[in-house]
Amino acid sequence: MIKTDFPLAGVIGNPIGHSRSPLMHKHWLRRYGLPGDYVPLHVIEGDLERVLRTLPRMGFVGTNVTLPHKTAALQIADHQSDRATLIGAANTLTFRDDGSIFADNTDGYGFMSNVRQGAPKWDPKSGPAFVLGAGGAARAIIVALADAGVPQILLANRTRAKAEALKAEFGQRIRIVEWVKVGDVIEDAAIVINTTSLGMTGQPALRVNLDNLQPHTVVTDIVYSPLQTPLLQTAAAMGCVTVDGLGMLLHQGVPGFERWFGKRPEVDDALRAAVLA
């Protein structure tokens, strides 16, 4: 990593004004009394590589990457972690001393850490995981679930072709469920994960039948605006353990902060309060 007495990091996206990552990293910098800063960087698609090659010369030691740049960032990087290659996208970049770019994906790590913190009694081997959605977040979560030993992944997506593509890539552990039949199978799941934007503020509702949801099931949503989505509210009323999506954002930031600033940060109530402020 680049040696500097005032390391800079940031998050690249388009748009980027909504990102809560600066609140998170600035909180950690203040808490641990570390030099440096973390800033939002609005970058359009055609400028991404030029920006990434320039940032190390400006004192940047790394960046997070969000939509729509995660796939392109992986392709631009000089080196990739195995998990970033498997997922096909990067969300965490580290600039090495020679200016080369190392790409990683910590979304799956963030997801698993969030669930383990919010539902510590959940055992990945206890039963199937039901994943709703087949986009980029779903890819990272499927890899993490498989690594953790989940015996089967039930996958439903409004567009079946995208679900079929994930099954072709990740194999027989995935069983595709038609979107309209989610309610018929949901009772089999030990954990249900919404990886879509449905239910997010300003987006359409997540319309799946939850009548057969079992009280022992863990239910989590990667959406964190609102913090308690209608899915989580309904599941909680049925006796399920629920885990909101904010923790995934917080935990995925831990590896990058440690690499860039040399301190492994904690995810706790004070951090949540700072990010929600």
Side-chain angles (χ1 to χ4, degrees):
M1 193 178 73
I2 296 168
K3 295 178 177 61
T4 173
D5 60 359
F6 196 83
L8 299 175
V11 56
I12 293 176
N14 179 20
I16 201 59
H18 67 285
S19 176
R20 294 180 183 263
S21 291
L23 294 171
M24 172 172 63
H25 288 273
K26 287 175 183 289
H27 169 82
W28 280 332
L29 288 167
R30 288 193 303 270
R31 174 176 178 176
Y32 300 115
L34 298 173
D37 203 357
Y38 184 101
V39 295
L41 299 166
H42 182 271
V43 178
I44 63 173
E45 286 82 335
D47 289 343
L48 181 62
E49 181 162 11
R50 181 167 47 185
V51 168
L52 289 176
R53 297 298 178 189
T54 303
L55 287 176
R57 305 178 189 177
M58 301 168 60
F60 278 79
V61 293
T63 66
N64 287 121
V65 183
T66 188
L67 297 175
H69 298 313
K70 289 186 174 185
T71 301
L74 182 72
Q75 296 167 347
I76 291 168
D78 305 292
H79 312 281
Q80 307 171 354
S81 69
D82 290 342
R83 61 185 173 184
T85 302
L86 185 59
I87 293 167
N91 77 326
T92 304
L93 305 178
T94 301
F95 303 137
R96 294 178 170 173
D97 289 346
D98 61 0
S100 65
I101 301 170
F102 174 76
D104 195 9
N105 192 306
T106 65
D107 283 335
Y109 167 84
F111 167 78
M112 291 300 297
S113 298
N114 185 37
V115 173
R116 286 180 170 130
Q117 186 175 48
K121 293 183 179 179
W122 173 64
D123 178 3
K125 298 179 176 63
S126 63
F130 207 143
V131 176
L132 304 175
R139 290 178 63 89
I141 288 169
I142 286 170
V143 170
L145 291 169
D147 286 347
V150 170
Q152 185 182 49
I153 297 169
L154 307 170
L155 178 63
N157 191 61
R158 288 173 294 174
T159 305
R160 183 182 174 96
K162 292 185 71 175
E164 293 280 8
L166 284 182
K167 179 177 175 62
E169 191 166 348
F170 293 108
Q172 294 304 309
R173 191 177 310 212
I174 292 181
R175 172 188 164 197
I176 295 176
V177 178
E178 294 291 346
W179 188 259
V180 295
K181 295 183 177 179
V182 168
D184 299 335
V185 187
I186 203 166
E187 63 185 330
D188 298 333
I191 184 170
V192 175
I193 307 131
N194 176 36
T195 74
T196 76
S197 61
L198 297 174
M200 184 177 180
T201 302
Q203 296 294 321
L206 174 65
R207 301 191 185 281
V208 294
N209 187 347
L210 302 175
D211 291 348
N212 293 328
L213 193 61
Q214 299 299 301
H216 63 264
T217 304
V218 175
V219 179
T220 184
D221 201 324
I222 70 167
V223 168
Y224 56 84
S225 176
L227 200 58
Q228 292 298 317
T229 61
L231 169 65
L232 296 184
Q233 292 176 9
T234 300
M238 298 174 74
C240 299
V241 174
T242 62
V243 183
D244 67 56
L246 181 62
M248 179 175 168
L249 170 72
L250 305 182
H251 283 284
Q252 65 79 30
V254 168
F257 187 91
E258 183 177 21
R259 289 172 197 157
W260 305 328
F261 300 108
K263 170 73 176 180
R264 188 167 186 84
E266 292 184 41
V267 174
D268 55 17
D269 290 342
L271 176 65
R272 286 178 65 92
V275 171
L276 288 172

